[in-house]
Amino acid sequence: MPEHTGETRNEQLTRNVGELLQELRVAQAGVQILFGFLLSVVFTDRFHDASGFEKSLHLSAVVLAVAATALLTAPAAWHRLLFRTGSRERILTVGNRIVLVGLVCLALAITSTVALIAKVVYGEIAMVVIAVLSAAIFGSLWFVIPIRLHPDNNGGTQPTGPPK
């Protein structure tokens, strides 16, 4: 269902790009904090005594945080490079898809990080329980509930572009 805001198409696209960039500021703060934490861990004495599995889980969390950072900052870079080229609609369409992938990477990075902490502090069973709970929380709050709340929910598809 199209929005009826009284805006021209260009005004609507401008507003939508601004909203996307504002939303990215929120997500990016979380990525930066997580990434800083993950980087600092490798310089602790306890990390050097970690098992190969724990180091692998840590590295996977770092790689996911890097991917989330790249994906969540890409639309801002695109906007800066393309803002006077009439590409707002394309930035919104592709940027929205990229941001969704970035949010998945962020959720997986956080899940991996808390799973690693649970493994080190409480063991393997706690790691699995915490990982499943964390993935379920992110999956339901970030994806399942919004898809179900969408007014045009036709088989659970999430819109991937600007409003028509």
Side-chain angles (χ1 to χ4, degrees), residues 5-89:
T5 60
E7 300 171 304
T8 66
R9 180 74 177 137
N10 190 46
E11 290 169 337
Q12 187 180 36
L13 288 171
T14 300
R15 178 177 52 81
N16 289 161
V17 168
E19 288 173 357
L20 175 66
L21 296 175
Q22 184 61 34
E23 291 165 2
L24 292 175
R25 287 181 186 97
V26 173
Q28 191 56 33
V31 173
Q32 290 171 339
I33 292 166
L34 176 64
F35 192 58
F37 165 75
L38 290 169
L39 291 178
S40 68
V41 167
V42 298
F43 298 106
T44 64
D45 290 334
R46 186 149 185 188
F47 182 79
H48 296 289
D49 298 331
S51 70
F53 174 78
E54 292 165 348
K55 288 179 179 178
S56 296
L57 188 56
H58 176 268
L59 183 58
S60 69
V62 169
V63 169
L64 287 164
V66 167
T69 299
L71 292 162
L72 294 173
T73 57
W78 299 347
H79 179 260
R80 189 59 12 222
L81 292 168
L82 302 171
F83 77 103
R84 292 188 183 187
T85 64
S87 302
R88 283 188 188 106
E89 188 161 356

Side-chain angles (χ1 to χ4, degrees), residues 3 14 52 68 72 96 104 120 144 159:
E3 288 184 72
T14 300
L72 294 173
N96 190 58
V104 169
V120 169
V144 174

